Amino acid sequence: MRPASSFTLAARCMVIAMTQSRRTFLKTSTAIAAVSLVKPRNAFAALGNDPAISTPLSQFGYGDVELLPGPLRQQFDTNHSFYSALDEDMLLKPFRSHAGLSAPGDDMGGWYSWAPLDDLAKPGNNGFAPGHSFGQYLSGLSRDYAATGSMPTQQKVQRLVSAYAAAISSKFYEGHRFPAYIYDKISIGLLDAHEFTGAPMALEVLNAALDAVMPHLPPGGISRDQQYARPHTDDSFCWDEPYTMPENFFIAWQRGAGSRHRDLAIRFLADDWYFDPLAAGQNVLPGKHAYSHVNAMSSAMQAHLVLGSEKHLRAARNGFDFLHTTQSFATGGWGPDENFRVPGSGELGESLTKTHSGFETPCGSYAHLKLTRYLLRTTRDSRYGDSMERVLYNCILGAKPIQPDGHGFYYSDYNNDGAKVFYPYKWHCCTGTFAQVTADYGISSYFRDSEGIYVNLYVPSRVTLARGADRISLTQRTNYPHQPTSHIEVSVNKSEEFPVYLRIPAWAGPKTIVAVNGKRVLSSPTPGQFAKLDRPWKNGDRIEIEFDMSTVLEVVDPQHPNLMAPVHGPLALFSVGAIPPKISKQELLTATQISAGSSDWQAKTAAGNLTLRPFTSIENEHYRLYLNVEG
C-alpha cells in the first residue's frame, strides 16, 4: 500500500496521461460504440476473469434492449436528461476541496457537501454523507450511454473519471461517517465507466481510490452492532455499510482490476452474523436496516457465482423468501422507517398509523430488482420476475422526478393518510440509486439462454439477439398492466427455430391465453412458470398473450386480518378521495376500471362509489393503501 501522501500525486500523473490520449480516443469512440451496442458484453471491456458458476440465464447487454414509448421510457429519458445536466464542478467539489485542489463551483448542499458535524441537526441535513452519490451518478450515466449510444453522455463520464482521478486523497475519508459506503458507490461508478464507456485508465483510477480508502475501512464486513462496539464520534458513525462491499469487489476482479479485489471480497463477506444464519434458515432480518441488508444479499449471489459457494446461494434465496413472506406490503415494498420488523408482532400493520416512511423507494427498488435478477438468472424461477413487476409498477414507476435543486422522492407512504412528497433534505441516497434503477429497466425485461429468449416483463420494448450474421428481434407493444394483453412481433432474417419463453405470473387465472398469428397455441398455461413456445419463426410472426387478471384482497399481516389492500394482477390499488366508514369484502371486490385501460377504478359501496388508483397515477391527492374491511 502506498503512503497517504502519494495518492494525489499518483492521480495527477494519471490525469495527465488521460488528457493527452483523450482527443485521439474520442476520434475512434463512435465506431467502438456501434460495436458495443450489439454485444452482450461491452467492446470496451478489458479481458477479465470468469466466475466459477455459469448461470442458466444471461442478461442482455444494455444496448440490446430498447425501451419504446411508455412509462419506463419516459422515466428513463427524464433521468438521463437530468443526470446528464448535473454540473461537473459541483459533483467534484467535495473531493477536490479535501485534496487541496482548486474547487470551483457552488456546493450542492444537502447530504452531498461537506459541513461541520453540528450542521446535521440544523434544517437541510447538510454534510451527512459528502460525495456519497458521485459513483452512482457515474454508474447510471455509463449504463445510460450503453443503452443509448449518446456521445455527450460518454464524454461526460470520461471527463468525470479524469477529474476524479486528480482529486483522489486519503484525506477525503478523515472524519467521514461512511468510508465503505462511499467507496462502494465509487467503485461501481468507475467499473461501469470502464466497462461501458471505455474511460481511459478507469481501472487504475479504481485501484488508486481503493488505496486511499483502505486505511479507513474496518477489518471486514462487520455489522452495525459490531460498529457500535468500536470507538465512534456519534451514532451516525456506526451506520456505515461494509457488508455490502463484496459484490463490487467480486465484479472488479471479474472485470480485470486485479486479484486483491477478489481477496477483499472474501474478507468483507458478512458470513458469521448474516449469511451463515440465513443459509441455515434462520430469519435474522428483524431489527436490521432494510435497504443495505437486501443490497448485501447481492454480495451473497456474487460469492455464489465467483466462488461456487452453495451456502451463499442458500443465504440469498432464504433471505429473499423471508423478505417476501414476512416483510412485504402489497406493493412489494418493505422496511417501514427503513427497518425490518419482527414476524408475528403486527408491526407492519401498526406502521400504517405510526409512520409516513413506508418504503425507501429508489434505493429499495434498486436493491430488489438487482437481487431478483441474480436469482432469476440462477434458478429460472419465474416468481422472481413476479416480484420484480410488483416493485416496478407499485413503487419505482410512481416516484416523483428529482427537482433541479436536489430535492427528490424518498419514501412510498403507506400511512392511512398517505401522500407523495419530496424529502426535505437535498441530494439524499435515493438520488443516487434512482440513476441506476432506471438505467437497468431494459436488462430486467428480457433474459436469454443458449437456445432462446425469455420475456420477463411486459413493457413496450424491443430486444435484439445476434446469432452470427443473423439477428432476432422481439418487439413488444402493450399497455400492461392497465390492459391484460401484450403483443410481440418476431423479426428474423430468415425462418429460424428457437424457443420464446413467456413468464406466466403466479396470479394468472385459468382463462389466460397465448396465441400465435391469431391461433390459440396455449390455453391455461401453468401459473408461476415460463411458458415455452418452440417453433420455426418467420419474419412478422405475432405472439399474443391475454392474461386472466382477477382482483384479490391482501392482508397487511396476520395480526391485522381486516386491514386489506385490493390487488388486480400485479397492480395494487390505492383509495383516493372520500373513503366510506365501512366497506365489506364483497364491495371492495367489485372494483373495476371505469373504462378499458383506464387508471381510475371504482368500487360500489352502500355509502357510494369508492375511487381507486395505481401508485403511478397518483399525483398530489392523499390516498390510502389498506382499508379496514368487514366480513
Side-chain angles (χ1 to χ4, degrees), residues 152-276:
T153 302
Q154 181 195 40
Q155 292 162 10
K156 185 182 186 77
V157 169
Q158 293 179 350
R159 287 194 304 271
L160 286 170
V161 171
S162 297
Y164 171 71
I168 294 173
S169 170
S170 191
K171 291 181 180 179
F172 175 79
Y173 296 100
E174 294 175 4
H176 205 299
R177 292 177 178 82
F178 311 119
Y181 179 93
I182 301 300
Y183 174 75
D184 195 30
K185 312 310 176 191
I186 287 172
S187 69
I188 194 58
L190 292 170
L191 287 165
D192 285 349
H194 159 75
E195 181 84 352
F196 302 125
T197 79
M201 300 182 71
L203 296 187
E204 289 86 344
V205 178
L206 174 69
N207 277 296
L210 178 55
D211 288 342
V213 76
M214 280 298 294
H216 305 277
L217 294 178
I222 61 176
S223 68
R224 287 196 172 184
D225 287 343
Q226 291 168 330
Q227 291 179 70
Y228 275 105
R230 293 159 57 90
H232 53 273
T233 303
D234 62 38
D235 283 1
S236 66
F237 282 77
C238 303
W239 302 341
D240 203 4
E241 300 172 5
Y243 43 81
T244 71
M245 297 179 75
E247 179 188 19
N248 290 333
F249 277 135
F250 279 128
I251 291 172
W253 173 76
Q254 290 171 80
R255 293 186 183 176
S259 61
R260 69 169 174 161
H261 296 269
R262 184 180 185 274
D263 296 339
L264 285 168
I266 295 170
R267 170 177 150 186
F268 278 88
L269 284 171
D271 284 342
D272 56 344
W273 60 271
Y274 195 42
F275 296 141
D276 285 347

Side-chain angles (χ1 to χ4, degrees), residues 144-426:
D144 285 349
Y145 165 69
T148 65
S150 165
M151 295 303 293
T153 302
Q154 181 195 40
Q155 292 162 10
K156 185 182 186 77
V157 169
Q158 293 179 350
R159 287 194 304 271
L160 286 170
V161 171
S162 297
Y164 171 71
I168 294 173
S169 170
S170 191
K171 291 181 180 179
F172 175 79
Y173 296 100
E174 294 175 4
H176 205 299
R177 292 177 178 82
F178 311 119
Y181 179 93
I182 301 300
Y183 174 75
D184 195 30
K185 312 310 176 191
I186 287 172
S187 69
I188 194 58
L190 292 170
L191 287 165
D192 285 349
H194 159 75
E195 181 84 352
F196 302 125
T197 79
M201 300 182 71
L203 296 187
E204 289 86 344
V205 178
L206 174 69
N207 277 296
L210 178 55
D211 288 342
V213 76
M214 280 298 294
H216 305 277
L217 294 178
I222 61 176
S223 68
R224 287 196 172 184
D225 287 343
Q226 291 168 330
Q227 291 179 70
Y228 275 105
R230 293 159 57 90
H232 53 273
T233 303
D234 62 38
D235 283 1
S236 66
F237 282 77
C238 303
W239 302 341
D240 203 4
E241 300 172 5
Y243 43 81
T244 71
M245 297 179 75
E247 179 188 19
N248 290 333
F249 277 135
F250 279 128
I251 291 172
W253 173 76
Q254 290 171 80
R255 293 186 183 176
S259 61
R260 69 169 174 161
H261 296 269
R262 184 180 185 274
D263 296 339
L264 285 168
I266 295 170
R267 170 177 150 186
F268 278 88
L269 284 171
D271 284 342
D272 56 344
W273 60 271
Y274 195 42
F275 296 141
D276 285 347
L278 282 178
Q282 181 182 349
N283 188 352
V284 291
L285 298 185
K288 291 182 171 56
H289 180 244
Y291 160 69
S292 62
H293 288 85
V294 173
N295 200 28
M297 294 179 198
S298 288
S299 287
M301 288 304 302
Q302 278 290 339
H304 167 66
L305 298 177
V306 171
L307 306 177
S309 168
E310 291 300 313
K311 175 185 79 173
H312 289 97
L313 175 59
R314 289 197 308 276
R317 294 184 70 169
N318 290 344
F320 176 84
D321 288 344
F322 292 139
L323 174 73
H324 179 67
T325 59
T326 72
Q327 303 295 330
S328 294
F329 294 99
T331 61
W334 31 263
D337 288 326
E338 301 190 29
N339 290 310
F340 286 130
R341 305 308 178 98
V342 176
S345 66
E347 292 181 4
L348 282 185
E350 292 170 5
S351 74
L352 303 179
T353 59
K354 291 183 176 180
T355 182
H356 289 275
S357 306
F359 175 52
E360 198 177 359
T361 306
C363 284
S365 298
Y366 177 66
H368 194 109
L369 295 174
K370 179 156 59 79
L371 174 62
T372 47
R373 277 198 307 274
Y374 277 124
L375 289 167
L376 179 54
R377 287 169 49 205
T378 303
T379 66
R380 300 184 198 243
D381 190 335
S382 67
R383 70 191 178 109
Y384 298 118
D386 292 0
S387 184
M388 278 189 202
E389 72 173 7
R390 277 281 182 123
V391 169
L392 174 67
Y393 293 118
N394 302 310
C395 299
I396 189 61
L397 266 185
K400 284 177 170 284
I402 302 174
Q403 301 301 288
D405 66 355
H407 282 99
F409 191 71
Y410 197 134
Y411 293 115
S412 290
D413 181 359
Y414 303 142
N415 191 276
N416 288 343
D417 182 25
K420 287 185 179 180
V421 299
F422 290 108
Y423 195 57
Y425 308 132
K426 300 192 300 182

Side-chain angles (χ1 to χ4, degrees), residues 29 32 127 240 630:
S29 59
I32 297 173
D240 203 4
E630 297 181 338

Side-chain angles (χ1 to χ4, degrees), residues 48-93:
N49 299 287
D50 292 329
I53 300 294
S54 179
T55 58
L57 299 184
S58 301
Q59 288 179 183
F60 280 92
Y62 284 88
D64 297 330
V65 182
E66 177 188 3
L67 297 175
L68 300 178
L72 278 75
R73 182 61 193 239
Q74 181 179 357
Q75 197 178 57
F76 173 94
D77 286 342
T78 298
N79 273 0
H80 184 195
S81 177
F82 177 84
Y83 292 107
S84 296
L86 288 178
D87 183 88
E88 294 170 28
D89 285 333
M90 290 174 65
L91 290 173
L92 292 159
K93 190 160 188 171

Side-chain angles (χ1 to χ4, degrees), residues 394-456:
N394 302 310
C395 299
I396 189 61
L397 266 185
K400 284 177 170 284
I402 302 174
Q403 301 301 288
D405 66 355
H407 282 99
F409 191 71
Y410 197 134
Y411 293 115
S412 290
D413 181 359
Y414 303 142
N415 191 276
N416 288 343
D417 182 25
K420 287 185 179 180
V421 299
F422 290 108
Y423 195 57
Y425 308 132
K426 300 192 300 182
W427 303 114
H428 51 77
C429 55
C430 284
T431 68
T433 44
F434 206 4
Q436 295 172 294
V437 70
T438 55
D440 288 350
Y441 280 160
I443 64 167
S444 295
S445 300
Y446 301 91
F447 296 87
R448 60 191 177 91
D449 62 13
S450 59
E451 297 180 343
I453 298 174
Y454 286 69
V455 179
N456 182 50

